Amino acid sequence: MSSLSFAPCVTHAQFSHSLSPMFILRRLPLTRHLRFSRNSRVASVVSAAAVRQDATLWTPAPLSHVESAAESLFHISIDISDSPDLVASYTRPGQYLQLRVPDVEKPSFLAIASPPSFTASRGAFEFLVKSIAGSTAEILCGLKKGETVELSPVMGNGFDIDQIHPPEEYTTVLIFATGSGISPIRSLIETGFGADRRSDVRLYYGARNLKRMAYQEKFKEWESSGVKVVPVLSQPDDGWRGETGYVQAAFARAKQVSKPGATGVVLCGQRQMAEEITAMLVADGVSNDKMLKNF
C-alpha cells in the first residue's frame, strides 16, 4: 500500500534588491501561471487517485458467525457462497483483503484465517479480528449475524511455500507469530505444507497471557499434523509453567538449528519480533530467501 506525496507547488524565488519594480511586475503573470498550472496538475492527480479508489470492486456479503475468540479477539465468518469469483481468487495462505462496514468509509485490512480448501468447500471466509477502540475492526466485531459488510478482491501473494519445498530438503521449519498474527498461520498449517514429513516443525506463538491467546482448541489438531506448538506468554499467570517473555527470547533460549541450509522460516506479527528473529537466524547461516514474511 502506498501513499501519494506532493512537493510544494512553487519554489519561492529570491529577488535581488537591484531588480527594478517593472522587472518584477513583468514576471508576475508568468509566476501566477506557473502556480496555477502546478496546482491544476496536483488537483488532477488527486482526482485520479479518488477515481482509482472508487474503482475498487466491493462485494456485499452477510456475516454468518461472530463470537469471542480470546480477550479482544473475535472469530468472524462471512458467507461468500453467492460470490464464486471471490471464492476462486483465494488460492494461498497469507493472502488478505479489505473489509468495509456500513456507514464507515475507512476499510480494514484483514488476513484470511481459513485455508483456501475451507473457502472452496464452504463458501466462506473466516477471520481472527482484533477489536481496537475507535477502529473499523471494533465496529465489525460488534455486528450481528446476518448484517452485511463489503469485501474487496483478495490481495497479496501469500506465503510462497515452494521456497521451502520439498519437505525432504527443508527438514526444519520454524514458525513465529504474535497476537492476531496467528491468523494467516492457522491458514498455512491447515492448508498443509508437509509438516509430518519434516523432522522439526515448531510454532512459537506469543501472547500476553492465555486469555489473549486464540486457537488454543486447535493446538492438538496442529500437533497431530506435525507442528510442535510452543506458547510464549509475556505476562503469564502464576500457574504458568511454559515459556515466558517475548517470542524472540524464547527462541534464543532453545534455538537448536542444526542444519541452517535445510531450514525454512515463517514470520507473522509484530515487526520488531520478526526483525530480531531474522537477524538471529541469518547470523546462524539461514538464508533470507527461505524466510516467508507477513507483517
Side-chain angles (χ1 to χ4, degrees):
M1 284 71 70
S2 60
S3 58
L4 295 174
S5 59
F6 302 102
C9 292
V10 176
T11 301
H12 296 286
Q14 300 297 320
F15 293 104
S16 167
H17 292 296
S18 63
L19 298 178
S20 70
M22 289 303 298
F23 181 90
I24 297 172
L25 287 173
R26 283 198 300 270
R27 279 151 180 76
L28 282 176
L30 177 59
T31 303
R32 184 173 61 186
H33 174 72
L34 286 173
R35 183 178 292 114
F36 177 78
S37 299
R38 187 73 61 87
N39 282 340
S40 297
R41 288 199 294 273
V42 170
S44 298
V45 172
V46 172
S47 176
V51 169
R52 286 197 298 272
Q53 184 174 0
D54 291 342
T56 300
L57 178 63
W58 294 99
T59 301
L63 294 174
S64 55
H65 192 70
V66 181
E67 71 170 9
S68 176
E71 190 176 290
S72 300
L73 294 171
F74 288 80
H75 292 301
I76 304 287
S77 182
I78 299 176
D79 182 359
I80 57 168
S81 56
D82 289 337
S83 306
D85 290 345
L86 194 55
V87 171
S89 68
Y90 179 36
T91 59
R92 185 183 280 179
Q95 290 182 295
Y96 60 95
L97 50 71
Q98 295 181 78
L99 179 148
R100 293 197 306 196
V101 298
D103 303 320
V104 178
E105 182 178 349
K106 186 177 180 180
S108 184
F109 286 85
L110 299 175
I112 304 170
S114 48
S117 59
F118 176 94
T119 297
S121 63
R122 304 282 187 89
F125 284 142
E126 291 188 340
F127 302 92
L128 179 67
V129 182
K130 183 176 182 179
S131 179
I132 300 174
S135 70
T136 300
E138 181 187 36
I139 299 172
L140 171 63
C141 295
L143 297 180
K144 305 297 182 184
K145 178 180 178 180
E147 293 193 73
T148 299
V149 297
E150 292 182 313
L151 305 177
S152 76
V154 174
M155 308 166 75
N157 297 322
F159 295 121
D160 186 3
I161 298 302
D162 289 343
Q163 294 282 74
I164 54 174
H165 191 81
E168 294 76 17
E169 291 185 19
Y170 298 95
T171 53
T172 296
V173 175
L174 303 170
I175 307 171
F176 303 90
T178 54
S180 58
I182 194 64
S183 183
I185 299 301
R186 174 202 157 190
S187 178
L188 172 68
I189 293 172
E190 295 181 7
T191 294
F193 59 100
D196 59 341
R197 292 154 54 200
R198 304 177 196 260
S199 59
D200 179 17
V201 179
R202 281 174 271 161
L203 165 61
Y204 289 85
Y205 174 19
R208 181 177 298 176
N209 51 49
L210 287 177
K211 292 179 182 179
R212 294 285 187 100
M213 183 166 278
Y215 297 144
Q216 293 178 56
E217 73 281 1
K218 292 181 172 290
F219 289 176
K220 286 185 178 180
E221 174 190 338
W222 293 353
E223 294 211 333
S224 69
S225 73
V227 179
K228 180 183 178 182
V229 181
V230 184
V232 185
L233 306 182
S234 60
Q235 297 178 21
D237 296 331
D238 292 340
W240 177 248
R241 295 292 180 266
E243 291 288 345
T244 60
Y246 294 119
V247 163
Q248 53 268 45
F251 174 66
R253 290 192 293 267
K255 241 179 196 182
Q256 298 172 350
V257 180
S258 57
K259 297 180 180 179
T263 298
V265 182
V266 183
L267 295 147
C268 191
Q270 208 264 348
R271 183 176 292 273
Q272 182 178 347
M273 175 275 292
E275 291 175 348
E276 291 183 16
I277 291 288
T278 298
M280 273 191 278
L281 289 171
V282 167
D284 283 345
V286 178
S287 172
N288 216 346
D289 294 338
K290 305 304 177 184
M291 299 188 188
L292 314 183
K293 301 178 182 181
N294 189 326
F295 57 91

